[in-house]
Amino acid sequence: MQNKELKMLAIPKWGRYLREKWLENFAGHLTKEEQKEIYMDSFLWHLCSYEKVIRLEKEEAIKAFERQEKNRCTIFYQFTNEAFLVQNAKNLNVKDLPYDDWDHSDIYVMDWENNWTFIITHENGWIGPYFIQKP
């Protein structure tokens, strides 16, 4: 993370909790059975790739994320329980995200109030990124 204005606090072991909050807030309109049918137990972002939510994709998603007003947000991953709380996130952009190897390749950014989320998948360049804004 190169943006010195950002305050990033590691919140170890919060990954599972944040994934559950994400499901509740962005996929809560689907039943558990519907979530299972689109393999959300494998990847949360299947919500987007199976077109079960209104979302922006690719460059539109990146632009929406970077324009989004941000104060505090969380960053978490699909396959690890590592997570971060980002404070003073006003200037957080895609280049600041801790995204690299397999464990950190499906990354979710969610604002503290759970009103929007930005997702980069391990299929980056082919599927995603995605941006969801709650109405």
Side-chain angles (χ1 to χ4, degrees):
M1 187 156 296
Q2 298 179 26
N3 188 333
K4 300 205 185 321
E5 294 175 10
L6 298 173
K7 293 181 181 166
M8 183 180 266
L9 174 66
I11 46 176
K13 301 180 183 175
W14 271 53
R16 172 180 274 167
Y17 169 77
L18 292 170
R19 286 189 296 275
E20 289 173 9
K21 290 296 286 178
W22 192 95
L23 274 168
E24 180 183 307
N25 283 286
F26 298 102
H29 62 287
L30 300 177
T31 65
K32 295 291 182 195
E33 181 69 25
E34 290 170 322
Q35 291 177 19
K36 193 171 186 155
E37 286 172 2
I38 62 170
Y39 311 101
M40 287 188 69
D41 51 343
S42 296
F43 297 103
L44 298 176
W45 55 262
H46 280 176
L47 178 70
C48 298
S49 63
Y50 279 84
E51 301 180 355
K52 298 296 184 182
V53 68
I54 296 171
R55 77 249 166 254
L56 297 174
E57 297 182 34
K58 303 193 182 295
E59 284 302 314
E60 285 185 336
I62 293 169
K63 288 178 185 173
F65 169 67
E66 292 191 344
R67 280 192 316 259
Q68 185 65 42
E69 186 174 317
K70 302 176 212 65
N71 183 24
R72 286 188 297 174
C73 55
T74 56
I75 297 172
F76 58 98
Y77 304 94
Q78 186 74 55
F79 297 112
T80 178
N81 284 328
E82 289 178 69
F84 300 93
L85 171 61
V86 183
Q87 298 179 337
N88 198 23
K90 176 173 75 170
N91 297 319
L92 179 66
N93 65 50
V94 172
K95 292 177 184 145
D96 295 321
L97 298 177
Y99 173 88
D100 52 29
D101 62 18
W102 176 252
D103 284 342
H104 300 102
S105 63
D106 290 292
I107 186 171
Y108 299 80
V109 182
M110 181 171 63
D111 80 306
W112 191 251
E113 289 80 26
N114 308 312
N115 291 319
W116 59 263
T117 186
F118 177 70
I119 308 147
I120 301 176
T121 75
H122 68 271
E123 303 283 2
N124 196 15
W126 182 43
I127 298 175
Y130 297 109
F131 183 84
I132 302 169
Q133 176 95 45
K134 287 171 71 175

